Structure formats: structure tokens, C-alpha cells
Amino acid sequence: MAHNLLKGKKGIIFGALDDKSIAWRTALRCVEEGAEIVLTNAPIALRMGEINKLAETCKAPVIPADVTNMDDLANLFNKSMEHFGGKIDFVLHSVAMGMNIRKGRSYTDLDYDFNHKTFDISAMSLHRVLQTAYKLDALNEWASVIALSYIASQRVFPDYGEMADAKALLESIARSFGYHYGTHKKVRVNTISQSPVKTTAGGGVKGFDGFMSYAEKMSPLGNATADECANYAVAMFSDLTKMVTMQNLFHDGGFSFTGVSKPVIDQMEK
Ligand code: NAI
């Protein structure tokens, strides 16, 4: 059900690859809530063409940008402001790529060229996005920026590999830039630490299915879905959460604060 929570707001959504993507689900919900959006993804991801279906449904232009390329990001913000005829109210950073994981390399056998690329795409890119917006003065006062994180930034999940470090950096950038953008223009920056969801990025982690059912058993409310994550992002983009900034917000059905659950104990006793 829509409540017009984002009526009149304009946003940029990074990272919709296919209809399972958290960004895809969020784009649909933002438009349902009255927002106008611009969609963006890496040029190579756009070649698959899937995003055009979403663009049609959302009546949104698609502007290519590799998040590691400053010219692409400047072009994206400039073109988006041109399209909207004004500044931007929200940004979803829903981008990640674990290069070593992709190449099957474990945490104790990292290739550092891949490692740099992983950090650049998955974490520094948030700084790049924020710095581009800051310098172009592209965001309205009280604009809201959300990036997606995972609890492996704070607790060890062995097969999450280098992405754990990338998420720790991402959360730190949200906090640090959140301070500067907050004092400068009242822009808020947060991360949402989401339950596992079977997407292209998520499914790339070794043992993902076991991981997902463990999280489901551990969480008092069960795993949060991509659609539920989209709802949370809408709330965070709305004016109802105006004073929330510099936070890592758990959206995980209670997983992060559960030591052990009855279903997990029962499983161990079998
Ligand atoms: P996804 O694979 O659908 O989305 C990842 C996106 O990153 C893709 O659209 C991809 O094209 C984009 N991307 C990769 N390299 C890029 C580049 N150089 N420039 C621009 N875009 C680039 O997967 P999902 O799961 O929707 O991932 C979105 C975010 O949610 C990621 O940050 C991920 O780490 C995070 N997350 C995912 C969880 C999961 O279990 N799926 C759990 C917690 C967080």
C-alpha cells in the first residue's frame, strides 16, 4: 500500500541488475511512494538490457556510470539535475563486487589487485558518490543517502572474505561523510545492514544457501526480504526519519542481537 511518503522527491538508484536486486525492488517502491527516479548501473551491466524493463515501469531514464569513474559520476549527477530540473533528495548506493570471491580466492590468499578493485567498487565508491554530489552541490538540504551493508563488517563470517573489510570501510565512510555533509547541508548518510537475500551479488558467496537458512533460524522475525528492505529504504528517504544520520541500521529480523535461538539449539541436539 502506498502512502505518498516520497511525493515530490527525486532520487538516484544505483545497482538494479535484475528483478531480484535490492535496488530493483527499492526503485519500484520509491516510485509507488510518489518519487521520480533516475536509474544507473555500470555500462557493462546495462548491456544485459534487463534494466530497460524497470526503466519503463518507473518512467525513469537510465544513465550509465561506473562507480569507480569520477567523470561518469559527475556526468550522472549533472544529467540527473538537468532531468529533474533541480537538485536530488535521495540516493541509494546498492553496489558491490567481491573480485577475489568471484575468482575463488580465500581470505588467506588474496590477490591485491583484485582486493583494490573490490574496495574501490564496494566501499570507496560511496565516498566518490558523496564527494561528487558535495562538490556539485547536487543534493537538497535534508537529502538522504543510503548504502547497503552486511553484518560481516562487525562479526566474522569466514566465506564473506574481503567483502567483510569492504563493508567495514563502507560503514566508516557513511559515518565520516555523514558528519561533514550533515554540518554542511543537513544531508544525512546511513547504511542499512540487511539480512542475506539470494541475488547475483549475494548468491556469489560460498555456502550461501546454508548461510541463509542459518540466519533464518537465528532471527526471531526470520530473514528480511528484498521487498522489506525496499520498504525500510523508503522510510529512510522520507521526512519521517529526518534526524537519523551516521548510523549503521540493522534490518535483519533481530539476527544481529541474538546469541543463539531455540531452532539452532534444537538443530545442534539432533
Ligand atoms: P546485485 O548483484 O543485484 O547488485 C549489485 C550491483 O552492483 C549490480 O547491479 C552491479 O551491476 C553493480 N555494480 C557492480 N560493479 C559496479 C560498478 N563498477 N559500477 C556500478 N555498479 C556496479 O546484488 P544485491 O544483493 O542487490 O546487492 C546490492 C547491495 O546489497 C550490495 O552492496 C550488497 O553487498 C548488499 N547486500 C546484499 C545482501 C545479500 O545477501 N544479497 C545482504 C546485505 C547487503
Side-chain angles (χ1 to χ4, degrees), residues 14-18 20-24 40-46 65-68 93-97 117 121-122 147-151 160 163 167 170 192-203 208 211-212:
F14 287 80
L17 184 66
D18 56 33
K20 293 190 187 62
S21 300
I22 295 170
W24 188 293
T40 182
N41 209 324
I44 191 160
L46 295 181
D66 180 325
V67 285
T68 63
H93 175 291
S94 187
V95 174
M97 171 83 78
K117 194 88 189 132
I121 295 175
S122 312
L148 283 158
S149 195
Y150 184 60
I151 194 178
Y160 206 66
M163 279 303 296
K167 290 304 190 194
L170 180 82
I192 292 178
S193 186
Q194 163 65 20
S195 296
V197 179
K198 193 142 189 178
T199 58
T200 307
F208 186 82
F211 200 58
M212 205 165 155

Side-chain angles (χ1 to χ4, degrees), residues 173-191:
I173 290 170
R175 202 160 41 240
S176 301
F177 222 119
Y179 171 82
H180 291 285
Y181 226 150
T183 52
H184 179 60
K185 279 269 153 117
K186 301 203 182 319
V187 167
R188 51 217 193 81
V189 187
N190 296 285
T191 48

